[in-house]
Amino acid sequence: MTVQLNLPSSALGKKLDAFKTIVVFPKGILNLQNPVRTGVSGFPSITLVDTPTIANQNGSIRMALSAGTVPGSGPSTALVMPIAQIDFKAISTGTNQTISIDNSNTQIVTNDSVALPLSPPQNLTFSVSNGEPPGSSSSSSSSSSSRSSSSSSSSSSSSSSSRSSSSSSSSSSVDLSCVCNTDSTCYSSCIYTKQTNTLYANPVKCSLDPTLFRTSVPNQTNKNSWCSRQKRTMGDTDGDSVVTSLDLGYYSNAVNGFHIPAGVNPDINGDGVVSVEDRNIIIKSIP
Ligand SMILES: [Ca+2]
Ligand SMILES: [Ca+2]
């Protein structure tokens, strides 16, 4: 799952200096499988992130990220900001389980030392049956609108949220032999899952305006990754093999002038630009 901040428009145009939170999960039901990945956040310095061993003992993950010692080196604010990617595995069955954000231990501070106001985060309730991993989950803090995710119960107010997806079973959706040609198109042999009655470029392009990206322009590895995602043309902008509101968030960031990570490609129909046609495909694909 991806922990994601949704910020209000009043918070835009700033740099973030620090972020901390605690993600609480049912330790008898879920196990943190891999180290939490915070590279997607854009924060250059990790102050503290619990290891899987510690997290699984406590049923919680402490995270504290910062801009480090260089003022202004934190990420720029955007309407949707992914913070961390977390891989949970279901180890037992259970109904009405919740993954939540501990708001009393959450703080977001801008480069001018202002703490952004927090709104009640959206918690996610899920059930696990027959050892299947939860369909999705999550929550997070700060203000603004949010989409609820599948099978979830949302907390009282709108505002911040986060979104997630089960981190399992991605390998079947990736064609590693499909890469980006030197002419910036994906190999014509690439096989994509597509929406019917929708026009796609042929071949699908793997180039985008470099100003769309946050810190560095996509390299060949990033472009190969774009091409290898079978659900890319269904709306999977970030390559996690599912289409969620986070993919829509990346689209919104791109068209509203907010930067996106190098691994993200919101050009869903492969025509080389990010436009409303891409949005339409993402919306059709979100479960
Ligand atoms: Ca996705
Ligand atoms: Ca496009």
Side-chain angles (χ1 to χ4, degrees):
M1 67 179 233
T2 300
V3 176
Q4 164 190 322
L5 292 177
N6 286 356
L7 298 179
S9 55
S10 60
L12 300 181
K14 301 178 185 300
K15 291 273 191 178
L16 295 184
D17 224 19
F19 171 80
K20 69 172 186 177
T21 194
I22 298 179
V23 178
V24 180
F25 64 93
K27 62 180 179 180
I29 305 294
L30 298 181
N31 225 320
L32 178 59
Q33 281 295 93
N34 303 306
V36 172
R37 303 185 300 282
T38 59
V40 67
S41 70
F43 279 105
S45 178
I46 297 174
T47 308
L48 167 73
V49 174
D50 278 335
T51 63
T53 302
I54 298 293
N56 291 330
Q57 283 174 357
N58 298 328
S60 62
I61 306 168
R62 293 172 296 176
M63 288 190 280
L65 309 173
S66 78
T69 56
V70 182
S73 62
S76 299
T77 51
L79 294 174
V80 177
M81 301 190 69
I83 291 294
Q85 293 170 308
I86 301 175
D87 298 338
F88 283 121
K89 179 179 182 180
I91 56 173
S92 179
T93 58
T95 56
N96 295 323
Q97 301 296 314
T98 302
I99 298 174
S100 62
I101 293 293
D102 178 353
N103 232 26
S104 64
N105 282 295
T106 298
Q107 191 173 42
I108 306 165
V109 181
T110 64
N111 189 37
D112 46 5
S113 299
V114 174
L116 295 180
L118 300 178
S119 302
Q122 184 183 55
N123 299 327
L124 199 86
T125 301
F126 63 92
S127 296
V128 182
S129 59
N130 299 323
E132 292 294 323
S136 67
S137 56
S138 163
S139 55
S140 163
S141 43
S142 188
S143 28
S144 169
S145 65
S146 64
R147 288 175 59 95
S148 65
S149 32
S150 65
S151 75
S152 70
S153 66
S154 50
S155 60
S156 48
S157 92
S158 55
S159 301
S160 93
S161 73
S162 88
R163 173 73 205 165
S164 53
S165 52
S166 141
S167 54
S168 62
S169 74
S170 56
S171 57
S172 62
S173 299
V174 174
D175 176 5
L176 294 178
S177 66
C178 179
V179 295
C180 184
N181 283 316
T182 53
D183 68 351
S184 293
T185 60
C186 296
Y187 275 15
S188 57
S189 60
C190 298
I191 299 171
Y192 294 113
T193 307
K194 295 178 178 177
Q195 286 284 2
T196 54
N197 302 320
T198 302
L199 195 61
Y200 292 92
N202 185 23
V204 166
K205 291 186 179 178
C206 42
S207 63
L208 275 179
D209 180 351
T211 62
L212 286 171
F213 296 90
R214 179 185 288 156
T215 52
S216 58
V217 297
N219 57 25
Q220 187 65 34
T221 301
N222 296 128
K223 293 178 178 180
N224 289 344
S225 170
W226 295 348
C227 289
S228 70
R229 304 165 183 172
Q230 288 189 10
K231 288 191 175 176
R232 170 187 163 179
T233 48
M234 288 285 282
D236 180 18
T237 67
D238 55 2
D240 64 356
S241 297
V242 288
V243 184
T244 68
S245 59
L246 184 56
D247 296 302
L248 189 60
Y250 282 127
Y251 164 84
S252 296
N253 282 358
V255 296
N256 287 297
F258 303 114
H259 292 181
I260 56 176
V264 166
N265 184 348
D267 173 25
I268 305 306
N269 65 355
D271 62 356
V273 295
V274 182
S275 72
V276 69
E277 293 171 12
D278 302 306
R279 179 180 185 275
N280 291 342
I281 297 172
I282 296 171
I283 288 181
K284 270 194 217 174
S285 300
I286 291 177

Coordinates of all heavy atoms in Angstrom, one line a residue, residues 61-124:
I61 N 4.3 1.2 12.7 CA 5.5 1.6 12.0 C 5.7 3.1 12.2 O 4.9 3.9 11.8 CB 5.3 1.4 10.4 CG1 4.9 0.0 10.1 CG2 6.6 1.8 9.7 CD1 4.5 -0.2 8.7
R62 N 6.8 3.4 12.9 CA 7.2 4.8 13.1 C 7.9 5.3 11.9 O 8.8 4.6 11.4 CB 8.0 5.0 14.4 CG 7.3 4.7 15.7 CD 8.2 4.7 16.8 NE 9.2 3.6 16.7 CZ 10.2 3.4 17.5 NH1 10.4 4.2 18.6 NH2 11.1 2.4 17.3
M63 N 7.6 6.5 11.4 CA 8.3 7.1 10.3 C 8.6 8.5 10.6 O 7.7 9.3 11.0 CB 7.4 7.0 9.0 CG 7.3 5.6 8.4 SD 6.5 5.7 6.8 CE 4.8 5.9 7.3
A64 N 9.8 8.9 10.4 CA 10.2 10.3 10.5 C 11.1 10.7 9.4 O 12.2 10.1 9.3 CB 10.8 10.6 11.9
L65 N 10.7 11.6 8.5 CA 11.5 12.0 7.3 C 11.8 13.5 7.4 O 11.0 14.2 8.0 CB 10.7 11.7 6.1 CG 10.1 10.3 5.9 CD1 9.2 10.2 4.7 CD2 11.2 9.2 5.9
S66 N 12.9 13.9 6.8 CA 13.2 15.3 6.9 C 14.0 15.7 5.7 O 14.5 14.9 4.9 CB 14.0 15.6 8.2 OG 15.4 15.2 8.0
A67 N 14.2 17.1 5.6 CA 15.0 17.7 4.5 C 16.5 17.6 4.9 O 17.3 18.0 4.1 CB 14.6 19.1 4.3
G68 N 16.8 17.1 6.0 CA 18.2 17.0 6.4 C 18.8 18.3 6.8 O 18.1 19.2 7.3
T69 N 20.0 18.5 6.5 CA 20.7 19.8 6.9 C 20.7 20.9 5.9 O 21.1 22.0 6.1 CB 22.2 19.5 7.3 OG1 22.8 18.9 6.2 CG2 22.3 18.5 8.5
V70 N 20.1 20.5 4.7 CA 20.1 21.5 3.6 C 18.7 22.2 3.6 O 17.8 21.5 3.2 CB 20.5 20.9 2.3 CG1 20.5 21.9 1.2 CG2 21.8 20.1 2.4
P71 N 18.6 23.4 3.9 CA 17.3 24.1 3.9 C 16.7 24.1 2.5 O 17.4 24.3 1.5 CB 17.6 25.5 4.3 CG 18.9 25.4 5.1 CD 19.7 24.3 4.4
G72 N 15.4 23.7 2.4 CA 14.7 23.8 1.2 C 14.9 22.5 0.3 O 14.5 22.5 -0.8
S73 N 15.6 21.5 0.8 CA 15.9 20.3 0.0 C 14.8 19.3 0.1 O 14.8 18.2 -0.4 CB 17.2 19.7 0.4 OG 17.2 19.3 1.7
G74 N 13.7 19.6 0.9 CA 12.6 18.7 1.0 C 11.7 18.8 -0.2 O 11.9 19.6 -1.1
P75 N 10.7 17.9 -0.3 CA 9.8 17.9 -1.5 C 8.9 19.2 -1.5 O 8.6 19.7 -0.5 CB 9.0 16.7 -1.3 CG 9.0 16.4 0.2 CD 10.3 16.9 0.7
S76 N 8.6 19.6 -2.7 CA 7.6 20.7 -2.9 C 6.2 20.1 -2.6 O 5.9 19.0 -3.0 CB 7.7 21.2 -4.3 OG 9.0 21.8 -4.6
T77 N 5.4 20.9 -2.1 CA 4.0 20.5 -1.8 C 3.2 20.3 -3.1 O 3.5 20.9 -4.1 CB 3.2 21.5 -0.9 OG1 3.3 22.8 -1.5 CG2 3.8 21.5 0.5
A78 N 2.3 19.3 -3.1 CA 1.5 19.0 -4.2 C 0.1 18.6 -3.6 O 0.0 18.3 -2.4 CB 2.1 17.9 -5.1
L79 N -0.9 18.5 -4.5 CA -2.2 18.1 -4.0 C -2.2 16.7 -3.4 O -2.8 16.4 -2.5 CB -3.2 18.3 -5.1 CG -3.5 19.7 -5.6 CD1 -4.4 19.6 -6.8 CD2 -4.1 20.5 -4.5
V80 N -1.4 15.9 -4.1 CA -1.3 14.5 -3.7 C 0.2 14.1 -3.5 O 1.0 14.4 -4.5 CB -1.9 13.5 -4.7 CG1 -1.7 12.1 -4.3 CG2 -3.4 13.8 -4.9
M81 N 0.6 13.7 -2.4 CA 2.0 13.4 -2.1 C 2.2 12.0 -1.5 O 1.8 11.8 -0.4 CB 2.6 14.4 -1.1 CG 2.5 15.9 -1.6 SD 3.4 17.0 -0.6 CE 5.1 16.6 -1.0
P82 N 2.7 11.1 -2.3 CA 3.0 9.8 -1.7 C 4.1 9.9 -0.7 O 5.1 10.6 -1.0 CB 3.4 8.9 -3.0 CG 3.9 9.9 -4.0 CD 3.1 11.2 -3.7
I83 N 4.0 9.2 0.4 CA 5.0 9.3 1.4 C 5.8 8.0 1.6 O 7.0 8.0 1.8 CB 4.3 9.6 2.8 CG1 3.8 11.1 2.7 CG2 5.3 9.5 3.9 CD1 4.8 12.1 2.6
A84 N 5.1 6.9 1.5 CA 5.8 5.6 1.7 C 5.1 4.5 1.1 O 3.9 4.5 1.0 CB 6.0 5.4 3.2
Q85 N 5.8 3.5 0.7 CA 5.2 2.3 0.2 C 5.5 1.2 1.2 O 6.6 0.9 1.6 CB 5.8 2.0 -1.2 CG 5.5 3.0 -2.2 CD 6.2 2.9 -3.5 OE1 7.4 2.8 -3.5 NE2 5.5 2.8 -4.6
I86 N 4.4 0.5 1.5 CA 4.5 -0.5 2.6 C 3.9 -1.8 2.1 O 2.8 -1.9 1.5 CB 3.7 -0.1 3.8 CG1 4.2 1.3 4.3 CG2 3.7 -1.1 4.9 CD1 3.4 1.9 5.5
D87 N 4.7 -2.9 2.3 CA 4.2 -4.2 1.8 C 3.8 -5.1 3.0 O 4.6 -5.5 3.8 CB 5.4 -5.0 1.1 CG 5.9 -4.3 -0.1 OD1 5.1 -3.5 -0.7 OD2 7.0 -4.5 -0.5
F88 N 2.5 -5.3 3.1 CA 2.0 -6.1 4.2 C 1.6 -7.5 3.6 O 1.2 -7.6 2.4 CB 0.7 -5.5 4.8 CG 0.9 -4.4 5.7 CD1 0.3 -3.2 5.5 CD2 1.6 -4.6 6.9 CE1 0.5 -2.1 6.3 CE2 1.8 -3.5 7.8 CZ 1.3 -2.3 7.5
K89 N 1.8 -8.5 4.4 CA 1.3 -9.8 4.0 C 0.3 -10.3 5.1 O 0.6 -10.1 6.3 CB 2.5 -10.8 4.0 CG 2.0 -12.2 3.6 CD 3.1 -13.2 3.5 CE 2.6 -14.6 3.1 NZ 3.7 -15.6 2.9
A90 N -0.8 -10.8 4.7 CA -1.7 -11.4 5.6 C -1.2 -12.7 6.2 O -0.8 -13.6 5.4 CB -3.1 -11.6 4.9
I91 N -1.2 -12.8 7.5 CA -0.7 -14.0 8.2 C -1.8 -14.8 8.9 O -1.6 -15.8 9.4 CB 0.4 -13.7 9.1 CG1 0.0 -12.7 10.2 CG2 1.7 -13.2 8.4 CD1 1.0 -12.5 11.3
S92 N -3.0 -14.1 8.9 CA -4.1 -14.8 9.6 C -5.4 -14.2 9.0 O -5.4 -13.1 8.4 CB -4.0 -14.6 11.1 OG -5.1 -15.2 11.7
T93 N -6.5 -14.9 9.2 CA -7.8 -14.3 8.8 C -8.4 -13.4 9.8 O -8.0 -13.5 11.0 CB -8.8 -15.4 8.4 OG1 -8.9 -16.2 9.6 CG2 -8.3 -16.3 7.3
G94 N -9.2 -12.5 9.4 CA -9.9 -11.6 10.4 C -10.8 -10.7 9.7 O -10.6 -10.4 8.5
T95 N -11.9 -10.3 10.3 CA -12.9 -9.4 9.7 C -12.8 -8.0 10.4 O -12.4 -7.9 11.6 CB -14.3 -9.9 9.9 OG1 -14.6 -10.2 11.2 CG2 -14.4 -11.2 9.1
N96 N -13.1 -7.0 9.7 CA -13.2 -5.6 10.2 C -11.9 -5.2 10.9 O -11.9 -4.7 11.9 CB -14.4 -5.5 11.1 CG -15.7 -5.6 10.4 OD1 -15.8 -5.2 9.3 ND2 -16.7 -6.2 11.1
Q97 N -10.8 -5.5 10.2 CA -9.5 -5.1 10.7 C -9.2 -3.7 10.2 O -9.7 -3.3 9.1 CB -8.4 -6.1 10.2 CG -8.6 -7.5 10.7 CD -8.6 -7.6 12.2 OE1 -7.7 -7.1 12.8 NE2 -9.5 -8.3 12.8
T98 N -8.3 -3.0 10.9 CA -8.1 -1.6 10.5 C -6.6 -1.3 10.4 O -5.9 -1.6 11.3 CB -8.8 -0.6 11.5 OG1 -10.2 -0.9 11.5 CG2 -8.6 0.8 11.0
I99 N -6.2 -0.5 9.4 CA -4.9 0.1 9.3 C -5.2 1.6 9.5 O -6.1 2.1 8.8 CB -4.2 -0.2 8.0 CG1 -4.0 -1.7 7.8 CG2 -2.9 0.6 7.9 CD1 -3.4 -2.0 6.4
S100 N -4.5 2.2 10.4 CA -4.8 3.6 10.7 C -3.6 4.4 10.9 O -2.5 3.9 11.1 CB -5.7 3.7 11.9 OG -5.0 3.2 13.1
I101 N -3.8 5.7 10.9 CA -2.7 6.7 11.2 C -2.9 7.2 12.6 O -4.1 7.6 12.9 CB -2.7 7.8 10.2 CG1 -2.4 7.4 8.8 CG2 -1.8 9.0 10.6 CD1 -1.0 6.9 8.6
D102 N -1.9 7.3 13.4 CA -2.0 7.8 14.7 C -1.8 9.3 14.6 O -0.7 9.9 14.5 CB -0.9 7.2 15.6 CG -0.9 7.8 17.0 OD1 -1.7 8.8 17.3 OD2 -0.2 7.3 17.9
N103 N -2.9 10.1 14.6 CA -2.8 11.5 14.3 C -2.1 12.3 15.4 O -1.5 13.3 15.2 CB -4.3 12.1 14.1 CG -4.4 12.9 12.8 OD1 -3.6 12.6 11.9 ND2 -5.3 13.8 12.8
S104 N -2.2 11.7 16.6 CA -1.5 12.5 17.7 C 0.0 12.4 17.6 O 0.7 13.2 18.2 CB -1.9 11.9 19.1 OG -1.5 10.5 19.2
N105 N 0.5 11.5 16.8 CA 1.9 11.4 16.5 C 2.3 11.8 15.1 O 3.3 11.3 14.6 CB 2.4 10.0 16.9 CG 2.6 9.8 18.4 OD1 3.4 10.5 19.0 ND2 1.7 9.0 18.9
T106 N 1.4 12.5 14.5 CA 1.7 12.9 13.1 C 1.9 14.4 13.0 O 1.3 15.2 13.7 CB 0.4 12.6 12.2 OG1 0.2 11.2 12.2 CG2 0.7 13.0 10.7
Q107 N 2.9 14.8 12.2 CA 3.3 16.2 12.1 C 3.8 16.5 10.7 O 4.7 15.7 10.2 CB 4.3 16.6 13.1 CG 4.5 18.1 13.2 CD 5.3 18.5 14.4 OE1 6.3 17.9 14.7 NE2 5.0 19.6 15.2
I108 N 3.4 17.6 10.1 CA 4.0 18.0 8.8 C 4.4 19.4 8.9 O 3.6 20.3 9.3 CB 2.9 17.9 7.7 CG1 2.3 16.5 7.7 CG2 3.5 18.2 6.3 CD1 1.0 16.4 6.9
V109 N 5.7 19.6 8.7 CA 6.3 21.0 8.9 C 6.8 21.5 7.6 O 7.6 20.8 6.9 CB 7.4 20.9 10.0 CG1 7.9 22.3 10.2 CG2 6.8 20.4 11.3
T110 N 6.5 22.7 7.3 CA 7.0 23.3 6.0 C 8.4 24.0 6.3 O 8.9 24.1 7.4 CB 6.1 24.4 5.5 OG1 6.0 25.5 6.5 CG2 4.7 23.9 5.3
N111 N 9.0 24.4 5.2 CA 10.4 24.9 5.2 C 10.4 26.2 6.0 O 11.5 26.6 6.5 CB 10.9 25.2 3.8 CG 12.3 25.5 3.8 OD1 13.1 25.0 4.5 ND2 12.7 26.4 2.9
D112 N 9.3 26.9 6.1 CA 9.2 28.1 7.0 C 8.8 27.8 8.4 O 8.2 28.7 9.1 CB 8.4 29.2 6.3 CG 7.1 28.7 5.8 OD1 6.8 27.5 6.0 OD2 6.4 29.5 5.1
S113 N 8.9 26.6 8.8 CA 8.7 26.1 10.2 C 7.2 26.2 10.6 O 6.9 26.5 11.8 CB 9.6 26.9 11.2 OG 10.9 26.6 10.8
V114 N 6.3 26.1 9.7 CA 4.9 26.1 10.0 C 4.4 24.7 10.0 O 4.6 23.9 9.0 CB 4.1 27.0 9.0 CG1 2.6 26.9 9.2 CG2 4.6 28.4 9.1
A115 N 3.7 24.3 11.0 CA 3.1 22.9 11.1 C 1.8 23.0 10.4 O 0.9 23.8 10.7 CB 3.0 22.5 12.5
L116 N 1.6 22.2 9.4 CA 0.3 22.2 8.6 C -0.7 21.6 9.5 O -0.5 20.6 10.3 CB 0.4 21.4 7.3 CG 1.4 22.0 6.3 CD1 1.4 21.1 5.1 CD2 0.9 23.4 5.9
P117 N -1.9 22.1 9.5 CA -3.0 21.6 10.4 C -3.4 20.2 9.9 O -3.4 19.9 8.7 CB -4.1 22.5 10.2 CG -3.9 23.2 8.8 CD -2.4 23.3 8.7
L118 N -3.7 19.3 10.8 CA -4.0 18.0 10.5 C -5.5 17.8 10.6 O -6.2 18.4 11.5 CB -3.4 17.0 11.5 CG -1.9 17.0 11.5 CD1 -1.3 16.0 12.6 CD2 -1.3 16.7 10.2
S119 N -6.0 17.0 9.7 CA -7.5 16.6 9.8 C -7.5 15.2 10.1 O -6.6 14.4 9.9 CB -8.1 16.9 8.5 OG -8.0 18.2 8.1
P120 N -8.7 14.7 10.6 CA -8.8 13.3 10.9 C -8.4 12.5 9.7 O -9.0 12.7 8.6 CB -10.2 13.1 11.3 CG -10.6 14.5 11.8 CD -9.9 15.5 11.0
P121 N -7.5 11.5 9.8 CA -7.2 10.7 8.7 C -8.2 9.7 8.3 O -9.1 9.4 9.2 CB -5.9 10.0 9.1 CG -6.1 9.9 10.6 CD -6.8 11.1 11.0
Q122 N -8.2 9.3 7.2 CA -9.1 8.2 6.7 C -8.5 6.9 7.1 O -7.5 6.5 6.6 CB -9.3 8.3 5.2 CG -10.4 7.4 4.7 CD -10.5 7.5 3.2 OE1 -9.5 7.3 2.5 NE2 -11.7 7.7 2.8
N123 N -9.2 6.2 7.9 CA -8.7 4.8 8.2 C -9.3 3.8 7.3 O -10.3 4.1 6.6 CB -9.1 4.5 9.7 CG -8.5 5.4 10.7 OD1 -7.4 5.9 10.4 ND2 -9.2 5.7 11.7
L124 N -8.7 2.7 7.2 CA -9.2 1.7 6.3 C -9.5 0.4 7.0 O -8.7 -0.1 7.7 CB -8.2 1.5 5.2 CG -9.0 0.9 4.0 CD1 -9.6 1.9 3.1 CD2 -8.0 0.0 3.2

